[in-house]
Amino acid sequence: MGDNMATTDGQGYQFADFEVTESVKHKFAEDGYIIVRGLLNSKEITKLKTALEGDDAGILTKKYERDDGDGRTSKTALWNNPGNDITGVIARSEKVTGTMEKLLGGEIYHYHAKVIMKEAFTGGAHIWHQDYGYWYENGCLFPDMGTVYIAVDKADKTNGCMKILLGSNKAGRIDHVTIGEHLGADLKRVDELMKVCPLTYAQLDPGDALFFHCNLLHRSDQNSSPNRRWAYLVSFNRASNDPVYKHHHPGYTPLTKVPNSDIMDCGTSMESFGKNFFGGPKEDFSFAKLRDSKTSA
């Protein structure tokens, strides 16, 4: 497979006339994702970017790194509680929480949020995985979970955009193993799925959003381009799917939705107090479980 692989160019719903219909739900269930173009408008995404880059609360100083196994590191800042700053307001907005609630079929709560930072020339890769490959190990019994990926910067083939296997969510949970400092899906199974699930580059403009199911196989390559690729991601769990293990992400916590207008009404100051930041691999419950099971096998 070469550079003629499919992209998401021309795909997606325009937020201005978007609603979650039965047809949209069916597409999400069949493909494992939907794209909403312009979920955040130009003013909203500029406000988010300004807040992240200003970062007077030091949220991005909480970032951790994982070795991608090929000489580079992936950088992430991850927190559990949404809070009331712009990141929290976006996460709790009707167009984010309300949409995912309809796609997952019931009440949801904020499982965690993160900023992934792929810097120009140096950004590390993320290997093939399903989010549920991690979250199953955390004690989430059912794959009633999903993530909203919001492009802060333009994401395309050149700067390491997300790559997905269309419809791979229907394969169910795939065994995951520790690979360096990551959990990765069984590559033999991934290779077989690549024969039947089209490999697609998720190319997004700033403000576009990819709503994807936790069993969708995805990865991203290193960023060797001169263009930074930052993204803001919010992950949700169904309220009925309360984890059975205590781990580094929260159990069911009621989530208060807010109107979309609150995004422009809130300030650009970031909050770090109360967000409960994740400290990286050393605190990763799912990674430790699989690493230790491999050691004892």
Side-chain angles (χ1 to χ4, degrees), residues 154-181:
K154 183 177 179 63
D156 59 26
K157 288 183 182 181
T158 67
N159 66 354
C161 70
M162 188 185 293
K163 296 158 67 173
I164 57 182
L165 293 187
L166 181 69
S168 57
N169 56 299
K170 294 188 291 183
R173 182 182 65 85
I174 296 168
D175 287 341
H176 281 59
V177 297
T178 56
I179 302 174
E181 292 184 327

Side-chain angles (χ1 to χ4, degrees), residues 12-19 35-41 44 94-96 99 207-208 211 260:
Y13 305 93
Q14 296 298 323
F15 177 69
D17 53 10
F18 174 71
E19 60 178 305
I35 291 174
V36 181
R37 302 287 181 182
L39 182 79
L40 297 187
N41 64 36
E44 291 168 337
E94 184 62 42
K95 59 184 171 182
V96 173
T99 298
D208 291 348
F211 290 76
N260 297 331

Side-chain angles (χ1 to χ4, degrees), residues 181-199:
E181 292 184 327
H182 293 261
L183 290 187
D186 175 3
L187 288 179
K188 289 183 180 179
R189 185 57 59 93
V190 172
D191 287 344
E192 293 300 322
L193 284 167
M194 288 181 74
K195 297 174 184 177
V196 294
C197 297
L199 176 60

Side-chain angles (χ1 to χ4, degrees), residues 16-31:
D17 53 10
F18 174 71
E19 60 178 305
V20 182
T21 62
E22 290 303 313
S23 175
V24 170
K25 293 178 186 177
H26 178 74
K27 183 171 179 60
F28 181 77
E30 286 295 304
D31 294 348

Side-chain angles (χ1 to χ4, degrees), residues 178 285-297:
T178 56
F285 181 87
S286 51
F287 180 84
K289 275 188 68 181
L290 285 177
R291 179 199 60 207
D292 294 345
S293 66
K294 181 178 178 181
T295 300
S296 61

